Amino acid sequence: MTEPRRLAVLRAIVEDYVATREPVGSKALVERHALGVSPATIRNDMAALEEEGLIAQPHTSAGRVPTDKGYRAFVDGLPAVRPLSPAERRAIERLLGDGARSLDLDDVLERTVRALAQLTQQVAVIQYPSLARARVRHVELVPLAPRRLVVVLITDTGRVEQRSVEVAPELPEVGSELVTELRGRLNAATAGRRSDEAVAALDAVLTSARPEDAGAVSSVVAALCSALAATREERMVLAGTANLVREASGFATSLAPVLEAIEEQVVVLRLLAEMADDPASGVSVRIGREIVHSGLSDAAVVSSGYGSGGEVVARLGVLGPTRMDYPTSIASVRAVARYLSKVLAQ
Amino acid sequence: MTEPRRLAVLRAIVEDYVATREPVGSKALVERHALGVSPATIRNDMAALEEEGLIAQPHTSAGRVPTDKGYRAFVDGLPAVRPLSPAERRAIERLLGDGARSLDLDDVLERTVRALAQLTQQVAVIQYPSLARARVRHVELVPLAPRRLVVVLITDTGRVEQRSVEVAPELPEVGSELVTELRGRLNAATAGRRSDEAVAALDAVLTSARPEDAGAVSSVVAALCSALAATREERMVLAGTANLVREASGFATSLAPVLEAIEEQVVVLRLLAEMADDPASGVSVRIGREIVHSGLSDAAVVSSGYGSGGEVVARLGVLGPTRMDYPTSIASVRAVARYLSKVLAQ
DNA sequence: ACCTGGCACTCAGCAGCGGCGAGTGCCAAT
DNA sequence: ATTGGCACTCGCCGCTGCTGAGTGCCAGGT
């Protein structure tokens, strides 16, 4: 029983199972793949693979199905990232080519996530560029009403956060000179600083405020701190939910937990955060039980970092059933990540 | 065959069918409801109701199921909006009470939509306040790099839109004095104007620009116009997608088209836009085929306008299968719309 | 004019049954 | 190490007959 053939058998099983969605038997295997040996031999290999926990039978006298561990071995054993087919390449061009003209971050991410979903026929996710190291570019204060104003925070990555502030009725109204002065002080304190530094610097603004303004100033500062905190917490965009229910999707159990996890974006973000790219392929894969979250035990995630320059600023990926077409998903995720990095580098 | 009893029979059929999800027969009906007549009588009523197209049988020798028209008659025949149960009232308090402290519009809508989804166990949707009549409060220009800047638009409703602008490389860089000057001119032209007026006023800014600045100025103005246009187009937030796949949800056909419609937010927004509230209940209902969109033929929508003051600025609602608990949905939608209006009025 | 009990009829759903066939493990032979 | 043969397992599929819920109609009662 030669070692390399066993891997070939595993690969064949995964491929057939992904394609047909049915347990695959020894006979069908030799027919569909040129393995050059008889079914009986394959059966021996299969017994060994089962021994190793890479495949399993749903019931006696049925074909074999890959286990999570089997998929893992399959993915790790992939020779290299398959290049995109011309059709896929064209699809990316078509879906993203036009949109690159738009320089609005929201727009670009929106288009990209849709493209990735359509390309992989799965749920696609893109994390907003991480702004932990973004720097404050500008703080704007806009009065809307005597006791109400909007605080707008702009970072050097082009992200904008806003908070509206209501000054408590027992405090004096906020005059326009105070707004102007405060705007200047806030900008002086925070401009060019990272969010954690900015928060520290704001304390000084707060203590140096004149007593009669203290209440209003503290409201504004609190709102600004909240906006700064938000730049550290992550957001994401998502597309392709409808792919979950497609005939071919094939989530075994109900997909309610999957939808719940998706809606609870924190879960997905945490999941992405704990994935680190394989240096060779630039892509990271989590399969089934490797995902700690309970509801996602028969899901798999393929993700990759992206970012302007060499630096990874955030991640994107796809989520689907463990029974997914890994080579295609990996190729698409990598291609889209590179494309997005290129667009953002401008 | 007294007329009012026939309506009672229809009501009973709808209620039982919604509760059990199974066709309801004459015998079961008299057992579960105190109708005071025999099954045979009910059968006659049923035959008449079927004649009118209000109910139908899935197959011969099965119970009856309400048709879209039947649900419509049921809803129209509801005596009044059922008041919320104490439990529901408490649930609203619990879900929204704390959150009201936050004054950030995004936050409030997010919490509210989640609450509505949880309350009705359906997909909930809230349209962002319509800003067609919002007025420009402030325009901010922030340089990020020599050829790149961010345009931020703030309206008097507290909404913020941003666009990033790249100045073409063949044009001169944008100096800080130009930014300052332009900022002033843009604000002078647009402040206090509605978006359509502002767009018109921007033309003047464009033509009065010095020739050497014309290229950069036109880029900025274009971005600002795009942001102004966005204040007219609608956005929405959504929650409870997972409710679609719950056991009890009971969408007959595959729910792929429903998910697609939901992801294609335009469809939902258009749907909401064309609903007008019933003056009495303050709520509007669309059932099955009444919804033109093809994929939503066995869905129903219950929606209500909301807004600060008496004015309706946007709509919110729930989407579920035609076989939904209308009284509860209507009561919840109305209550949440009122609650939200109250919060926004502050 | 309406209600009701009785009656014959329809038909979806379910359980039981048997055959088919894909698939397996083991073994002896090459 | 590979292979053909063989006995065995067992899920799936189609058939059958039964059951029971539900219907429509009718004749008789109020």
Side-chain angles (χ1 to χ4, degrees):
Chain A
M1 196 184 308
T2 61
E3 183 64 31
R5 194 193 53 227
R6 257 187 7 217
L7 260 184
V9 170
L10 174 60
R11 187 148 61 222
I13 291 175
V14 171
E15 282 168 7
D16 276 22
Y17 183 60
V18 166
T20 67
R21 252 182 105 181
E22 267 163 22
V24 9
S26 53
K27 195 174 149 205
L29 214 54
V30 293
E31 278 168 7
R32 295 182 43 128
H33 298 76
L35 292 171
V37 290
S38 82
T41 310
I42 299 300
R43 283 205 284 281
N44 290 330
D45 291 349
M46 282 175 154
L49 288 170
E50 185 160 11
E51 186 72 21
E52 292 180 59
L54 298 174
I55 58 180
Q57 340 187 32
H59 54 259
T60 340
S61 95
R64 302 306 216 289
V65 160
T67 60
D68 289 356
K69 199 175 160 193
Y71 286 119
R72 164 56 58 197
F74 171 77
V75 168
D76 289 345
L78 286 177
V81 176
R82 177 173 69 67
L84 287 182
S85 73
E88 288 167 329
R89 194 155 286 288
R90 259 180 287 120
I92 290 191
E93 273 309 324
R94 182 171 48 79
L95 292 168
L96 293 177
D98 302 342
R101 201 159 311 281
S102 157
L103 282 166
D104 187 38
L105 181 64
D106 290 342
D107 265 17
V108 171
L109 294 188
E110 184 75 24
R111 282 164 186 279
T112 309
V113 77
R114 280 180 195 236
L116 186 56
Q118 198 168 331
L119 217 54
T120 57
Q121 295 285 28
Q122 252 133 19
V123 176
V125 175
I126 304 185
Q127 194 179 8
Y128 263 70
S130 158
L131 299 182
R133 31 181 123 68
R135 289 170 184 282
V136 174
R137 190 72 203 206
H138 186 78
V139 174
E140 184 57 38
L141 232 49
V142 183
L144 290 185
R147 320 200 94 84
R148 184 160 186 185
L149 34 81
V150 173
V151 182
V152 180
L153 167 70
I154 304 172
T155 70
D156 59 359
T157 49
R159 179 155 157 183
V160 177
E161 284 286 334
Q162 87 264 24
R163 290 290 181 277
S164 66
V165 177
E166 185 112 18
V167 178
E170 63 271 19
L171 296 174
E173 292 186 1
V174 180
S176 68
E177 38 342 293
L178 175 56
V179 169
T180 310
E181 184 218 331
L182 193 53
R183 180 189 296 131
R185 294 244 300 285
L186 291 175
N187 272 296
T190 61
R193 295 226 155 82
R194 279 190 283 112
S195 64
D196 47 349
E197 298 165 350
V199 169
L202 284 173
D203 261 351
V205 174
L206 196 50
T207 53
S208 72
R210 283 177 309 177
E212 65 268 33
D213 298 335
V217 171
S218 83
S219 305
V220 171
V221 167
L224 188 49
C225 286
S226 144
L228 283 165
T231 65
R232 259 169 292 161
E233 108 194 349
E234 303 295 349
R235 288 165 58 206
M236 58 180 248
V237 283
L238 187 126
T241 329
N243 290 333
L244 284 177
V245 299
R246 277 174 44 250
E247 179 68 30
S249 137
F251 263 98
T253 74
S254 153
L255 40 106
V258 180
L259 275 172
E260 273 159 24
I262 283 175
E263 197 155 300
E264 204 59 57
Q265 309 200 337
V266 190
V267 173
V268 179
L269 288 169
R270 199 168 302 153
L271 179 55
L272 283 179
E274 71 193 23
M275 292 175 81
D277 294 342
D278 169 50
S281 66
V283 172
S284 172
V285 180
R286 283 290 166 93
I287 299 165
R289 295 289 173 74
E290 295 171 10
I291 301 171
V292 288
H293 189 77
S294 61
L296 297 173
S297 56
D298 52 17
V301 176
V302 175
S303 79
S304 163
Y306 72 88
S308 45
E311 196 177 25
V312 168
V313 298
R315 305 187 64 80
L316 57 78
V318 299
L319 183 153
T322 47
R323 175 211 296 121
M324 74 157 72
D325 181 351
Y326 291 97
T328 298
S329 296
I330 290 173
S332 300
V333 164
R334 197 173 69 149
V336 171
R338 290 187 172 181
Y339 200 104
L340 183 56
S341 297
K342 207 171 65 187
V343 170
L344 291 185
Q346 298 172 355
Chain B
M1 200 184 304
T2 60
E3 184 63 30
R5 194 193 53 227
R6 253 178 22 208
L7 261 183
V9 169
L10 175 61
R11 187 150 60 225
I13 291 175
V14 171
E15 282 169 6
D16 276 21
Y17 184 59
V18 165
T20 66
R21 254 181 102 183
E22 268 163 22
V24 7
S26 53
K27 194 174 150 206
L29 214 53
V30 293
E31 278 168 8
R32 296 183 42 127
H33 299 76
L35 292 170
V37 291
S38 81
T41 310
I42 299 299
R43 284 204 283 280
N44 290 330
D45 290 348
M46 282 175 154
L49 288 170
E50 186 160 11
E51 187 71 22
E52 291 181 61
L54 298 174
I55 58 180
Q57 339 188 31
H59 53 261
T60 340
S61 95
R64 302 309 215 289
V65 161
T67 61
D68 288 357
K69 199 175 160 193
Y71 286 120
R72 164 56 59 197
F74 171 77
V75 168
D76 289 346
L78 286 177
V81 176
R82 176 175 67 67
L84 287 182
S85 72
E88 288 166 329
R89 194 155 286 287
R90 259 180 285 121
I92 291 191
E93 273 308 325
R94 181 171 47 79
L95 292 169
L96 293 177
D98 302 343
R101 201 159 311 280
S102 156
L103 281 168
D104 188 37
L105 181 63
D106 290 342
D107 264 18
V108 171
L109 294 189
E110 183 74 28
R111 282 164 185 278
T112 309
V113 78
R114 281 181 194 236
L116 186 55
Q118 198 168 331
L119 216 55
T120 59
Q121 295 285 27
Q122 251 133 17
V123 177
V125 174
I126 303 185
Q127 195 179 7
Y128 264 70
S130 158
L131 299 181
R133 31 182 120 69
R135 290 170 184 281
V136 174
R137 190 71 201 208
H138 187 76
V139 174
E140 184 58 37
L141 234 48
V142 183
L144 290 185
R147 319 199 94 85
R148 184 160 186 183
L149 34 81
V150 173
V151 182
V152 180
L153 167 70
I154 303 173
T155 70
D156 61 358
T157 50
R159 179 155 157 183
V160 177
E161 285 285 334
Q162 87 264 26
R163 290 290 181 279
S164 67
V165 177
E166 185 112 15
V167 177
E170 63 272 16
L171 295 175
E173 292 186 359
V174 181
S176 69
E177 39 340 295
L178 176 57
V179 168
T180 309
E181 186 218 331
L182 193 53
R183 180 189 296 130
R185 296 245 299 285
L186 292 174
N187 272 297
T190 61
R193 295 224 155 83
R194 278 189 284 114
S195 64
D196 47 349
E197 299 166 349
V199 169
L202 284 173
D203 261 350
V205 173
L206 197 49
T207 54
S208 72
R210 283 177 310 178
E212 66 268 32
D213 297 335
V217 170
S218 84
S219 304
V220 170
V221 166
L224 188 50
C225 285
S226 145
L228 283 164
T231 64
R232 258 169 292 162
E233 108 194 350
E234 304 294 349
R235 288 165 58 206
M236 57 180 245
V237 283
L238 188 126
T241 330
N243 290 334
L244 284 177
V245 299
R246 277 174 44 252
E247 179 67 31
S249 137
F251 263 99
T253 75
S254 152
L255 41 107
V258 180
L259 275 172
E260 272 160 25
I262 284 174
E263 197 156 299
E264 205 59 57
Q265 309 201 336
V266 190
V267 173
V268 180
L269 288 169
R270 198 168 305 152
L271 179 55
L272 282 180
E274 70 193 22
M275 292 175 81
D277 294 343
D278 169 50
S281 66
V283 172
S284 172
V285 180
R286 282 292 166 93
I287 300 165
R289 294 290 172 74
E290 296 171 8
I291 301 172
V292 288
H293 189 75
S294 61
L296 297 174
S297 55
D298 50 20
V301 176
V302 176
S303 80
S304 164
Y306 71 89
S308 45
E311 196 177 24
V312 168
V313 297
R315 304 188 65 79
L316 57 79
V318 298
L319 184 153
T322 47
R323 175 209 297 119
M324 74 157 71
D325 181 351
Y326 292 97
T328 299
S329 296
I330 290 173
S332 299
V333 164
R334 196 173 71 149
V336 171
R338 291 188 171 181
Y339 200 103
L340 183 56
S341 298
K342 208 171 65 186
V343 170
L344 291 184
Q346 297 171 354

